[in-house]
């Protein structure tokens, strides 16, 4: 779905947010993937930082995965993960194009993508072209070009019946699934306003090693460069904004935002605070505030108010008929998500392809950043149609 006019934005909405977890297609048992009944999924990881370690461990917990290959921009990161997962030196691919060699490995069944988000669309394309199943961490792009590319490749994955998972684990909580269904069914009446905050402290730094090029340094500190992470609203706040798209069954029409860099001036070019007003169809609006400031206030909230009820992350759903639905934290949902991804590959559950909703939620974040940069209201269609494509330093 590369076009971006209003009818296509609504088509996004209908096929993603309302669907919950995925668009399912029933497939044959696990032999459909060419795996022996007793074999494990042979997995490669692209991006050997902390998230790769975390997701890799959760995949191993399923008891149905073996990690056999790794790729990373930096040799030391790949070597450290190789020790953790007992991957031999000859199965490591190093450098900016190392992912290509990994994807072309004929003995790999699936690939986990956890490198900096800038690289996600290209790595996704390489993996699907090579016939692999893919779990792509969020966000899946840093700009409109990347979102369009990811969506295009996701369609190819559907045609090839390759499973696609995405790192938005909140959607795998059964209590939240029930709340999303009730809100979309009108349980709190006409939706009026939403409120979202994601405020947190500053994060890690990586020093400039001898011999580093500027690109090396920025990739090492990817979290602080817009080209690499999409700014902190895209990298960090996608979980918040995805919940509103999902619960309401809507996608933003436009965004107006203010943002700045006042506290974090020692590294990168991303904002350290942002406030966005998203306008959705039918009069619903969402205000989102985010910070990433050392020693600042920390907290996260999500609230939706309707004409006849409300949802609050801390207290749950209070519906117009007096019905109350609550949920717990989402600590276990990452493991649930990984298990379902594995089971879908093995044919133990219906096919899943989460391309569309992870793309629309990523783009919701990008829209907020673009509105802040522009200093004016920016529509979804305008942003999607723009020629924006972020790039790293050449050396």
């Amino acid at each position: 779905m590369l076009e971006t006019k209003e009818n296509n934005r609504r088509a996004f909405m209908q096929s993603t947010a309302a669907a919950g977890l995925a668009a399912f297609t029933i497939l044959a048992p696990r032999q459909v993937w060419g795996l022996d009944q007793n074999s494990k999924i042979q997995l490669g990881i692209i991006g050997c930082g902390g998230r790769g370690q975390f997701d890799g461990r959760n995949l191993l917990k399923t008891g149905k995965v073996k990690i056999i290959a790794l790729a990373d921009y930096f040799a030391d990161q790949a070597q450290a993960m190789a020790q953790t997962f007992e991957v031999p030196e000859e199965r490591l691919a190093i450098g900016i194009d190392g992912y290509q060699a990994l994807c072309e490995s004929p003995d790999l069944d699936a690939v986990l993508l956890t490198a900096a988000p800038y690289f996600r669309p290209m790595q996704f394309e390489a993996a699907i072209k090579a016939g692999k199943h893919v779990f792509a961490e969020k966000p899946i792009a840093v700009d409109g070009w990347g979102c369009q590319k990811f969506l295009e490749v996701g369609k190819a994955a559907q045609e090839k019946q390759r499973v696609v998972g995405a790192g938005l684990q909140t959607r795998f909580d059964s209590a939240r699934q029930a709340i999303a269904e009730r809100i979309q069914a009108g349980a709190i009446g006409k939706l009026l306003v939403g409120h979202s905050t994601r405020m947190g402290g500053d994060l890690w730094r990586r020093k400039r090693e001898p011999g580093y090029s500027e690109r090396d340094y920025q990739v090492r500190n990817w979290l602080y460069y817009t080209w690499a992470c999409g700014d902190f609203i895209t990298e960090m706040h996608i979980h918040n904004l995805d919940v509103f798209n999902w619960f309401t069954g809507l996608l933003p029409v436009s965004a107006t935002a203010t943002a700045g860099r006042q506290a974090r001036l020692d590294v990168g070019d991303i904002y350290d605070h942002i406030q966005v007003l998203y306008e959705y169809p039918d009069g619903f609006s969402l205000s989102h505030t985010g910070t990433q400031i050392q020693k600042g206030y920390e907290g996260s909230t999500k609230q939706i108010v309707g004409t006849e009820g409300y949802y609050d992350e801390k207290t749950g759903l209070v519906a117009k008929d007096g019905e109350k639905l609550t949920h717990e934290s989402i600590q276990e949902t990452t493991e649930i998500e990984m298990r379902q991804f594995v089971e879908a590959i093995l044919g133990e559950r219906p096919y899943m392809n989460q391309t569309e909703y992870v793309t629309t939620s990523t783009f919701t974040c990008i829209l907020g950043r673009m509105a802040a940069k522009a200093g004016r209201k920016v529509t979804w269609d305008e942003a999607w149609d723009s020629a924006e494509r972020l790039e790293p330093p050449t050396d």
Side-chain angles (χ1 to χ4, degrees):
M1 187 180 301
L2 300 182
E3 300 84 1
T4 64
K5 301 308 177 188
E6 174 63 15
N7 61 329
N8 289 305
R9 193 194 63 79
R10 290 184 179 274
F12 263 136
M13 178 188 73
Q14 293 165 0
S15 63
T16 62
L21 288 179
F24 289 129
T25 301
I26 302 299
L27 298 180
R30 66 168 62 183
Q31 285 86 352
V32 72
W33 303 127
L35 295 175
D36 181 80
Q37 188 75 15
N38 297 312
S39 67
K40 290 185 176 182
I41 295 168
Q42 307 294 290
L43 179 83
I45 300 178
I46 300 173
C48 299
R51 194 69 198 185
Q53 294 265 4
F54 178 78
D55 285 351
R57 287 194 295 270
N58 280 326
L59 284 164
L60 290 180
K61 284 180 183 179
T62 67
K64 300 175 181 181
V65 171
K66 181 176 176 60
I67 298 169
I68 65 167
L70 304 172
D72 197 88
Y73 188 101
F74 297 101
D76 63 325
Q77 289 198 161
Q79 290 162 354
M81 186 180 281
Q83 292 183 5
T84 300
F85 295 131
E86 299 180 347
V87 177
E89 184 81 17
E90 61 269 21
R91 298 309 305 267
L92 307 185
I94 310 303
I96 195 168
D97 296 323
Y99 71 91
Q100 293 279 9
L102 183 143
C103 290
E104 291 166 6
S105 300
D107 54 349
L108 279 183
D109 303 307
V111 177
L112 170 65
L113 304 181
T114 54
Y118 166 82
F119 299 104
R120 201 90 76 235
M122 293 78 84
Q123 293 169 350
F124 185 41
E125 182 176 42
I128 295 301
K129 278 186 175 179
K132 315 304 183 188
H133 307 285
V134 177
F135 190 97
E137 264 299 347
K138 60 77 194 170
I140 51 78
V142 298
D143 52 28
W145 177 89
C147 287
Q148 292 180 23
K149 170 62 71 175
F150 198 91
L151 190 65
E152 176 186 2
V153 176
K155 288 183 176 180
Q158 175 85 28
E159 292 169 1
K160 292 184 176 183
Q161 293 292 276
R162 289 300 177 261
V163 175
V164 181
L168 291 174
Q169 64 268 23
T170 305
R171 293 193 181 226
F172 287 77
D173 176 67
S174 59
R176 286 172 172 81
Q177 291 168 15
I179 288 172
E181 183 178 346
R182 295 291 291 122
I183 291 175
Q184 291 180 33
I188 63 174
K190 176 179 171 57
L191 304 182
L192 300 175
V193 295
H195 177 63
S196 169
T197 62
R198 178 72 185 270
M199 300 187 180
D202 208 355
L203 299 174
W204 45 261
R205 304 283 196 280
R206 301 288 185 261
K207 65 180 182 179
R208 187 185 294 269
E209 300 289 351
Y212 268 10
S213 68
E214 182 60 26
R215 187 181 70 190
D216 295 340
Y217 175 73
Q218 291 191 17
V219 173
R220 198 68 148 183
N221 288 278
W222 63 269
L223 191 66
Y224 299 112
Y225 291 91
T226 304
W227 73 263
C229 74
D231 215 295
F232 84 115
I233 186 176
T234 307
E235 205 285 320
M236 294 289 290
H237 298 179
I238 185 172
H239 289 295
N240 274 53
L241 296 172
D242 176 63
V243 165
F244 287 91
N245 290 353
W246 175 31
F247 278 17
T248 64
L250 302 171
L251 293 173
V253 174
S254 65
T256 308
T258 59
R261 283 170 56 86
Q262 298 293 323
R264 179 175 52 221
L265 302 175
D266 64 310
V267 64
D269 60 11
I270 65 171
Y271 294 130
D272 53 35
H273 63 280
I274 191 168
Q275 191 158 39
V276 188
L277 178 65
Y278 289 100
E279 297 179 30
Y280 284 73
D282 305 321
F284 177 68
S285 64
L286 166 66
S287 63
H288 172 73
T289 303
T291 60
Q292 202 172 74
I293 298 173
Q294 191 66 31
K295 298 182 180 179
Y297 170 79
E298 297 193 15
S300 178
T301 60
K302 304 178 189 74
Q303 299 162 325
I304 300 173
V305 178
T307 56
E308 300 178 79
Y310 67 88
Y311 165 78
D312 183 275
E313 186 174 29
K314 293 182 173 59
T315 59
L317 178 79
V318 177
K320 60 186 178 182
D321 59 3
E323 176 189 30
K324 295 182 179 180
L325 295 176
T326 60
H327 54 66
E328 302 296 332
S329 69
I330 59 168
Q331 296 303 312
E332 304 302 320
T333 52
T334 298
E335 294 184 24
I336 295 171
E337 180 182 30
M338 293 299 188
R339 185 170 65 249
Q340 292 189 10
F341 170 70
V342 168
E343 291 170 351
I345 292 174
L346 295 174
E348 297 172 353
R349 66 179 300 107
Y351 172 75
M352 66 166 59
N353 186 325
Q354 297 163 358
T355 298
E356 288 194 349
Y357 73 69
V358 74
T359 301
T360 53
S361 290
T362 294
F363 193 71
T364 297
C365 301
I366 292 170
L367 176 63
R369 183 201 74 222
M370 292 180 69
K373 294 286 186 183
R376 60 174 176 81
K377 179 185 289 188
V378 176
T379 68
W380 178 287
D381 290 341
E382 176 190 359
W384 188 266
D385 285 337
S386 75
E388 184 189 47
R389 182 176 181 183
L390 307 181
E391 293 287 4
T394 56
D395 55 22

